[in-house]
């Protein structure tokens, strides 16, 4: 069964450092999402792509976060500089289209020291 | 502002019992209500979903009850099993915009 792949699974970094997360969606899925899940809370959408275009980044802290999906397939989420409050699980999800079921990857757990 | 309110935050149920998780929403534009199941170290997985044109949907031991006038919906897990121990999230979205708003989550523990 096809799955959303994410790497790394775990990342420990010091504040002010740069970190990057990678996501490979299910083949053929045009819509890709990045979520942040703080411990004990539900996921919150950071950015949504339709193919290579951003359709919603209203909750993305653009002063330090950036996301790209250059060829409309895999995607990278970057944080620079990382802050203590960025410690969370970063989840990637994909769907066939905007109104289709979202399938989540296993996530990247980030710890900022 | 929490658009989807979920309760309880934690739940302990005996094996064979019924687990009930409740959610309430505020945005009347929401028209799609999925439930996700998340095991530790894994991403959420879609469990079951309902649209407001029906009041109930059942899939195996999992049932969603929906009350449009009260803007509430709930998940019932019948004959709960230890393997059901996970965190459950209710969520909501509107068809015109697929952004999914999640509840805070309910950590379910089914004890033998």
């Amino acid at each position: 069964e096809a799955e959303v792949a994410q790497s790394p699974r775990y990342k420990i970094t010091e504040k002010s450092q740069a970190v990057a997360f990678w996501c490979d969606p299910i083949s053929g899925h045009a819509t890709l999402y990045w979520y942040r899940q703080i411990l004990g809370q539900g996921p919150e959408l950071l950015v949504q792509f339709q193919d290579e275009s951003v359709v919603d980044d209203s909750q993305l802290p653009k002063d330090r976060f950036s996301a790209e999906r250059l060829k409309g397939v895999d995607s990278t989420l970057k944080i620079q500089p990382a802050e203590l409050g960025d410690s969370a699980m970063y989840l990637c999800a994909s769907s066939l289209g905007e109104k289709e079921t979202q399938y989540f990857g296993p996530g990247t757990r980030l710890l900022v020291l | 502002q929490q658009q989807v309110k979920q309760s309880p935050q934690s739940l302990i149920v005996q094996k064979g019992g019924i687990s009930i998780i409740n959610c309430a929403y505020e945005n009347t534009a929401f028209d799609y209500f999925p439930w996700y199941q998340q095991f530790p170290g894994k991403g959420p997985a879609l469990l079951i979903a309902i649209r407001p044109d029906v009041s109930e949907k059942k899939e195996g031991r999992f049932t969603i009850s929906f009350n449009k006038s009260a803007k509430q919906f709930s998940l019932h897990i019948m004959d709960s099993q230890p393997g059901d121990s996970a965190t459950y999230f209710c969520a909501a979205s509107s068809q015109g915009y697929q952004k999914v708003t999640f509840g805070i989550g309910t950590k379910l523990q089914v004890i033998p």
Side-chain angles (χ1 to χ4, degrees), chain B residues 69-84:
Chain B
S69 61
K71 293 188 287 184
Q72 295 175 347
F73 58 111
S74 60
L75 176 70
H76 290 64
I77 305 174
M78 311 298 289
D79 187 26
S80 299
Q81 299 296 312
D84 297 330

Side-chain angles (χ1 to χ4, degrees), chain B residues 9 28 43-44 49 60 98 107 110:
Chain B
Q9 290 191 37
T28 55
Q98 189 60 3
K107 187 173 184 178
V110 181

Side-chain angles (χ1 to χ4, degrees), chain A residues 9 37 56 98-99 104-105, chain B residues 38 41 43-44 89 95 97-98:
Chain A
R9 294 293 310 276
Q37 184 177 21
D56 185 355
E98 283 191 291
K99 296 182 175 64
F104 285 82
Chain B
Q38 185 175 30
F89 293 95
Q95 193 165 8
Y97 180 50
Q98 189 60 3

Side-chain angles (χ1 to χ4, degrees), chain B residues 48-106:
Chain B
I48 186 173
I50 196 169
R51 295 197 183 275
D53 52 343
V54 297
S55 60
E56 186 175 282
K57 183 173 182 180
K58 184 176 180 179
E59 289 184 4
R61 296 185 293 108
F62 300 90
T63 300
I64 299 178
S65 297
F66 186 84
N67 186 329
K68 188 174 181 178
S69 61
K71 293 188 287 184
Q72 295 175 347
F73 58 111
S74 60
L75 176 70
H76 290 64
I77 305 174
M78 311 298 289
D79 187 26
S80 299
Q81 299 296 312
D84 297 330
S85 297
T87 299
Y88 292 81
F89 293 95
C90 62
S93 68
S94 59
Q95 193 165 8
Y97 180 50
Q98 189 60 3
K99 178 178 178 177
V100 177
T101 300
F102 287 82
I104 198 169
T106 296

Side-chain angles (χ1 to χ4, degrees), chain A residues 22-39:
Chain A
W22 178 79
C23 171
D24 191 13
I26 293 172
S27 178
H29 281 198
T31 312
L32 185 147
Y33 312 80
W34 282 102
Y35 288 88
R36 177 170 59 188
Q37 184 177 21
I38 295 171
L39 191 64

Side-chain angles (χ1 to χ4, degrees), chain A residues 9 11 19 43 45-46 57 62 67 70 77 86 89 91 95-96 103:
Chain A
R9 294 293 310 276
K11 179 70 177 178
V19 293
L45 181 69
L46 291 175
D57 62 357
K62 298 181 189 64
L70 294 176
L77 178 69
D86 297 331
M89 173 80 87
L91 293 162
S95 62
L96 276 171
Y103 295 87

